[in-house]
Amino acid sequence: MFETGAIWGITGTTVTSFMFIWAMYSQYVPRHLRVTVEKYGYKMVGWVSFYVHIKFTEYTEEGLKRSDNYDAIRNYLSTNSAARAQRLKANESKNSKSLVLSMDDHEEVEDEFNGVKVKWYSNVKVTQTQSNYGRTSSDERRFFTLTFHRRHRGMIIETYLNHVIDEGKAIGLRNRERKLYTNNSSSEWYPWRSGKWSNVPFHHPATFETLAMDPEKKERIKKDLIKFSKGKDYYKKVGKPWKRGYLLFGPPGTGKSTMISAIANFLDYDVYDLELTTVKDNSELKKLLLDTKGKSIIVIEDIDCSLDLTGQRKSKKEEDEEDDAEKKKEAEKKEKKEAEKLSKVTLSGLLNSIDGLWSACSDEKIIIFTTNFVDKLDPALIRRGRMDNHIEMSYCKFEAFKVLAKNYLEIESHELYGEIERLLEETDVSPADVAETLMPKSDEEDADACIKRLVKTVEEEKEKAKKLAEEEEKSKAEKEEKRKKKKAEEEEKKKKTEEEEKKKKEKKVEGSEENGSVSVENGIK
């Protein structure tokens, strides 16, 4: 019998020899030969092994889209990890009172289904990549491996995997924390990480109950949203992707962003705020949209200002000054060049991404465009089928005011309500301005003081609007007077020029007649 020291000596020598041989094999044996050896090695192991292994990667092989099955498996295994795994990862969740525990890397857990035992392994493979600038970065590729006896192959593939995926998706919905996403620049993307979007928890408190809008209009929108959320089979039957477009248009401060938050809270959806100016080209836009999940809202705010899709905004003063067509063309070319410096996304690329073949790659999505100037948008961008529901966010009227008064002052009637209704019908005031006026500015202010302040504010706005209209009318009259005066001067100038030309012609004729008479006299002499 060997002594303990001799056993440890033999073990150490064997391990050292194996490590030396493996290092020599990895360094000096050509890669194509190693691939062949490993392929046949796996085959030999398969001949003598009674177990089957199935690998589930975190991303698709192309790296374009995150695997929904991987997320479902991770959710399913999290229920078993807390009780059975030795090493766990703790994640915070807003919707859970306790930490959410999941398997750590290189950990295994055993599961049992219908009397059959299987094993799940959590793996991560780190690869080193070198950029063109000489910098080295590491990429992590995570995957799960399912191992089971080959005699249970049929039951595992046909029943167990479907059970795991369905249960994992249900767990994900229960533990889901809604988030607000924004797209990153492509320089910050990593092929095997969630680098295309950054996110924060979505906590916006807006609801349809607090939204300043006519109640009947709100009810129509809510019914439309409910119909969409339950329309999976209907959309499949009619042959359309399960998505819906909303165009929110109206003056600034009328509640377009608040409407988006209310829709997200009503449907319990995530929000993806897509900033087109950071998207390099059409291909990058497709990849961004592919990396979004279902049960989400994709938002492009102020699309009339986005790139060269519709042209940048101009002030009214600039539009009045640029009467000459050539100046307008030059300004448009300059703006287009400035936009192209930032992004090469085209109108065609955007249309194909939201409504072309790529739009059917994922289901249950709402696409929302907002604009202050709907007339500036290309008709192809907002036609029915792309933007299915056009919602005008108008100035604050009496019904919207009553919602704001109830929200901010907790009152439903007041002696000045009649006066306020009259003023709001005669004056354009945004809901944002009304809300700010109604908000108490100190603990001493009560509802009566806030209502009186609103009446005063709206009256002042009415006077301002009246003065502005008078100034615009005066300016218009002055411009018309200048135009008429200029036209009269041009006509007078033209008339003088014609008279001068006429006089010159008469003098020329008289000179010719005199010369003719002299010639005749000379001939006679």
Side-chain angles (χ1 to χ4, degrees), residues 176-184 194 196-202 269-275 291-293 296-297 299:
R176 178 169 167 262
E177 180 183 17
R178 291 189 302 117
K179 293 182 179 179
L180 173 63
Y181 294 85
T182 183
N183 53 303
N184 297 324
S194 302
K196 295 181 178 65
W197 297 91
S198 298
N199 66 81
V200 294
F202 184 73
Y269 280 9
D270 293 325
V271 178
Y272 288 86
D273 184 13
L274 180 58
E275 179 57 57
D291 204 43
T292 59
K293 299 180 180 179
S296 62
I297 301 172
V299 179

Side-chain angles (χ1 to χ4, degrees), residues 318-362:
E318 290 173 334
E319 289 179 352
D320 291 337
E321 292 174 351
E322 292 183 356
D323 294 330
D324 188 16
E326 288 298 323
K327 289 183 179 180
K328 286 185 178 180
K329 288 181 180 179
E330 290 177 4
E332 288 174 0
K333 287 180 181 179
K334 185 178 179 181
E335 289 165 356
K336 189 173 181 180
K337 288 181 180 178
E338 290 177 354
E340 286 176 349
K341 291 178 183 178
L342 301 175
S343 174
K344 294 183 179 179
V345 174
T346 63
L347 176 61
S348 174
L350 178 61
L351 297 181
N352 290 332
S353 298
I354 65 173
D355 192 41
L357 296 174
W358 291 87
S359 66
C361 294
S362 58

Side-chain angles (χ1 to χ4, degrees), residues 216-330:
E216 292 183 2
K217 192 173 182 179
K218 283 196 288 188
E219 198 62 30
R220 288 197 301 270
I221 296 171
K222 288 167 67 175
K223 288 180 179 178
D224 186 74
L225 293 170
I226 293 172
K227 182 70 175 176
F228 167 78
S229 64
K230 297 179 179 179
K232 181 178 181 180
D233 295 333
Y234 176 78
Y235 277 83
K236 185 177 181 181
K237 183 181 72 174
V238 300
K240 290 183 63 177
W242 190 13
K243 67 177 185 63
R244 190 157 179 80
Y246 288 82
L247 175 67
L248 308 183
F249 65 95
T254 51
K256 294 183 287 293
S257 299
T258 306
M259 169 65 82
I260 295 170
S261 301
I263 292 174
N265 288 329
F266 183 70
L267 294 176
D268 201 26
Y269 280 9
D270 293 325
V271 178
Y272 288 86
D273 184 13
L274 180 58
E275 179 57 57
L276 287 179
T277 56
T278 64
V279 183
K280 185 171 63 175
D281 51 33
N282 295 335
S283 176
E284 188 173 300
L285 177 62
K286 290 185 177 74
K287 292 177 182 178
L288 275 168
L289 295 178
L290 275 175
D291 204 43
T292 59
K293 299 180 180 179
K295 289 187 175 295
S296 62
I297 301 172
I298 299 173
V299 179
I300 303 179
E301 293 197 274
D302 293 324
I303 194 169
D304 54 296
C305 293
S306 297
L307 310 179
D308 59 343
L309 303 179
T310 56
Q312 301 288 331
R313 292 182 189 162
K314 296 176 185 177
S315 66
K316 190 170 183 182
K317 184 178 179 181
E318 290 173 334
E319 289 179 352
D320 291 337
E321 292 174 351
E322 292 183 356
D323 294 330
D324 188 16
E326 288 298 323
K327 289 183 179 180
K328 286 185 178 180
K329 288 181 180 179
E330 290 177 4

Side-chain angles (χ1 to χ4, degrees), residues 482-505:
K482 287 181 180 178
R483 187 186 67 81
K484 289 181 179 179
K485 186 177 180 181
K486 186 177 180 181
K487 187 177 180 180
E489 289 176 353
E490 289 176 352
E491 289 178 352
E492 183 68 24
K493 187 177 180 181
K494 185 178 178 181
K495 188 176 179 181
K496 287 182 179 180
T497 304
E498 290 175 352
E499 289 177 354
E500 290 175 358
E501 290 290 332
K502 187 178 179 180
K503 288 180 179 178
K504 286 181 181 179
K505 287 181 180 179

Side-chain angles (χ1 to χ4, degrees), residues 364-389:
E364 200 172 357
K365 289 182 181 176
I366 290 177
I367 301 171
I368 297 180
F369 294 163
T370 71
T371 177
N372 294 341
F373 306 94
V374 68
D375 295 335
K376 289 189 176 183
L377 298 181
D378 192 297
L381 189 65
I382 59 175
R383 68 163 175 81
R384 304 293 177 175
R386 290 194 175 111
M387 293 294 104
D388 306 284
N389 197 343

